[in-house]
């Protein structure tokens, strides 16, 4: 039997505006996409190597990260997210993060699309957080007080996904080291018409103690929340920024991650807890374990979700966007992008 003749796919560029159009208002479906991807990853139907960090000796707060990945299932696509984090951008009123996503054809290896990916990255992060909020809250009273620690784009997306998947809150707490950022986030919440009472807190302790669901979405490079007593009411914690919590807080909590090996790297809070204890006993499992009933999250302990952020999630959401743009008839192909296509000229 001969192999079918392979062909080079056309190469397309998908703008941020197209990405946003494809994703807007589809929060419930996108959470399902992310959960299906976690299940595929948990079943071994993916390849997700360690992320590669590019750091700069003269720009210590900045970094670039490459996330290569491959996913099976219906999406069946390979690719790479290349994302920059330059926190000093915020002072110039431009976003901290920028990214592109390259999708590769699994048959030939040729790239077939380049997508603006800061929106895709924020979307998969928010969908993952909304899923974790749901699963980690089962078996305990549904949180009615949410607190956002850090008020940038990721916090905005997480709020959108919580509301878009049926959450409503009596109280919404806001805290940020920047008073302007906190005020801007409060204005955003007011403009969305959210029903909950909005409070800008003056301390991190106050925000945490008065929240049943705590969202960490900061740019912290090292732990800055150290007191376990702040969590005595056992909230659900979405530790999205990964480096906010001191190891002592994790050791007193139920800890759920997206992927054990990925999360225990790069001086994340779980990585620091492993270094402190010399073991991984404080980790109770992955979100996939929770979804499939292999791990039960007790209601009488703080529950912390620390997601490293998997490249397979970017691929799944990116492929969804690509398919939606194709269906819309708006795919913008770059003619003759691959020029030398004959081996001998």
């Amino acid at each position: 039997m001969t192999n079918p003749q392979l062909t080079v796919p056309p190469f397309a560029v998908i703008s941020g505006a197209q990405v946003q159009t494809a994703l807007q208002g589809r929060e419930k479906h996108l959470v399902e996409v992310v959960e299906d991807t976690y299940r595929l990853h948990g079943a071994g139907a993916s390849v997700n190597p360690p992320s590669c960090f590019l750091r700069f000796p003269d720009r210590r707060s900045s970094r670039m990260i490459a996330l290569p990945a491959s996913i099976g299932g219906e999406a069946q696509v390979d690719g790479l997210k290349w994302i920059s984090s330059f926190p000093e951008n915020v002072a110039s009123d431009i976003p901290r993060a920028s990214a592109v996503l390259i999708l590769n054809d699994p048959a030939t290896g040729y790239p077939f699309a380049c997508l603006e990916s800061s929106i895709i990255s924020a979307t998969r992060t928010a969908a993952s957080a909304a899923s974790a909020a749901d699963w980690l809250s089962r078996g305990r009273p549904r949180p009615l007080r949410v607190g956002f620690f850090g008020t940038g784009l990721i916090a905005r997306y997480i709020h959108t996904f919580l509301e878009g998947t049926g959450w409503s809150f009596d109280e919404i707490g806001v805290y940020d080291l920047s008073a302007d950022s906190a005020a801007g986030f409060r204005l955003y919440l007011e403009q969305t018409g959210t029903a909950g009472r909005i409070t800008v807190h003056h301390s991190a302790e106050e925000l945490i103690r008065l929240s049943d669901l705590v969202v960490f979405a900061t740019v912290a490079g090292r732990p800055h929340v150290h007191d376990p007593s702040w969590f005595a009411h056992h909230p659900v914690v979405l530790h999205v920024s990964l480096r906010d919590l001191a190891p002592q807080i994790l050791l007193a909590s139920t800890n759920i991650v997206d992927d054990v090996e990925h999360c225990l790297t790069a001086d994340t809070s779980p990585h620091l807890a492993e270094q402190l204890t010399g073991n991984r006993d404080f980790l109770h499992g992955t979100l996939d374990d929770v979804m499939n009933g292999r791990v039960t999250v007790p209601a009488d302990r703080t529950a912390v979700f620390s997601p490293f952020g998997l490249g397979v999630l970017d691929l799944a959401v990116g492929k969804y966007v690509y398919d939606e743009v194709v269906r819309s008839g708006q795919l913008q192909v770059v003619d003759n992008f691959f020029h030398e296509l004959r081996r001998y000229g």
Side-chain angles (χ1 to χ4, degrees):
M1 181 180 293
T2 58
N3 291 328
Q5 186 68 34
L6 298 176
T7 59
V8 174
F11 185 79
V13 175
I14 297 177
S15 70
Q18 290 177 297
V19 171
Q20 190 169 59
T21 297
L23 296 176
Q24 203 159 32
R26 303 182 187 182
E27 290 84 11
K28 288 183 179 179
H29 181 70
L30 290 164
V31 168
E32 291 174 2
V33 169
V34 163
E35 290 182 348
D36 288 345
T37 305
Y38 276 138
R39 291 187 176 98
L40 282 170
H41 182 67
S46 67
V47 181
N48 206 109
S51 302
C52 177
F53 286 74
L54 175 62
R55 301 184 187 276
F56 312 98
D58 59 331
R59 291 164 283 165
R60 294 191 177 276
S61 67
S62 301
R63 67 181 186 269
M64 297 181 182
I65 313 173
L67 290 83
S70 174
I71 185 173
E74 292 184 11
Q76 195 170 10
V77 66
D78 311 326
L80 172 78
K81 179 172 78 170
W82 180 236
I83 183 166
S84 303
S85 175
F86 279 53
E88 293 180 8
N89 287 355
V90 176
S92 298
D93 200 30
I94 60 176
R96 168 188 62 86
S98 58
V100 293
L101 177 69
I102 301 295
L103 301 181
N104 292 74
D105 173 27
T108 64
Y110 272 80
F112 63 86
C114 175
L115 299 83
E116 194 285 330
S117 198
S118 65
I119 298 170
I120 290 171
S121 186
T123 293
R124 63 85 151 147
T125 299
S128 169
S131 174
D134 176 31
W135 285 97
L136 270 60
S137 297
R138 298 186 184 191
R140 67 173 71 203
R142 185 86 158 173
L144 294 175
R145 303 176 301 170
V146 63
F148 289 91
F149 194 139
T151 56
L153 180 139
I154 296 298
R156 174 160 57 86
Y157 268 74
I158 291 174
H159 173 262
T160 296
F161 267 77
L162 289 171
E163 286 215 332
T165 53
W167 287 82
S168 61
F169 301 98
D170 294 340
E171 298 183 28
I172 302 176
V174 176
Y175 176 75
D176 198 289
L177 293 178
S178 164
D180 288 344
S181 294
F185 191 65
R186 177 173 191 160
L187 178 62
Y188 153 76
L189 292 171
E190 291 172 345
Q191 290 174 339
T192 64
T194 187
R197 183 178 66 181
I198 304 166
T199 302
V200 176
H201 292 282
H202 300 293
S203 72
E205 178 181 0
E206 184 179 79
L207 175 92
I208 293 168
R209 287 188 182 275
L210 294 176
S211 301
D212 309 311
L213 176 65
V214 184
V215 180
F216 283 95
T218 74
V219 294
R222 65 176 73 89
H224 54 95
V225 176
H226 297 273
D227 192 340
S229 71
W230 294 3
F231 301 83
H233 56 303
H234 304 314
V236 171
V237 178
L238 304 178
H239 187 209
V240 174
S241 36
L242 276 178
R243 295 173 178 85
D244 303 274
L245 302 179
Q248 291 78 7
I249 293 170
L250 298 188
L251 297 179
S253 305
T254 298
N255 291 284
I256 305 299
V257 297
D258 53 359
D259 181 282
V260 172
E261 297 299 330
H262 283 75
C263 204
L264 294 179
T265 58
D267 289 334
T268 63
S269 295
H271 190 203
L272 296 179
E274 181 190 33
Q275 294 174 41
L276 179 66
T277 62
N279 61 63
R280 301 178 173 186
D281 296 346
F282 63 94
L283 287 183
H284 296 83
T286 66
L287 187 57
D288 177 58
D289 290 328
V290 176
M291 290 191 297
N292 285 284
R294 293 186 293 267
V295 170
T296 300
V297 179
D300 59 352
R301 283 169 64 89
T302 299
V304 179
F305 178 57
S306 299
F308 192 79
L310 301 178
V312 290
L313 300 183
D314 295 283
L315 282 187
V317 175
K319 183 59 163 52
Y320 172 82
V321 169
Y322 177 84
D323 291 341
E324 287 296 306
V325 174
V326 169
R327 276 193 283 271
S328 74
Q330 301 299 312
L331 191 68
Q332 299 173 15
V333 172
V334 180
D335 292 331
N336 300 315
F337 185 82
F338 298 109
H339 181 61
E340 284 282 359
L341 295 179
R342 299 179 63 182
R343 291 185 68 194
Y344 303 110

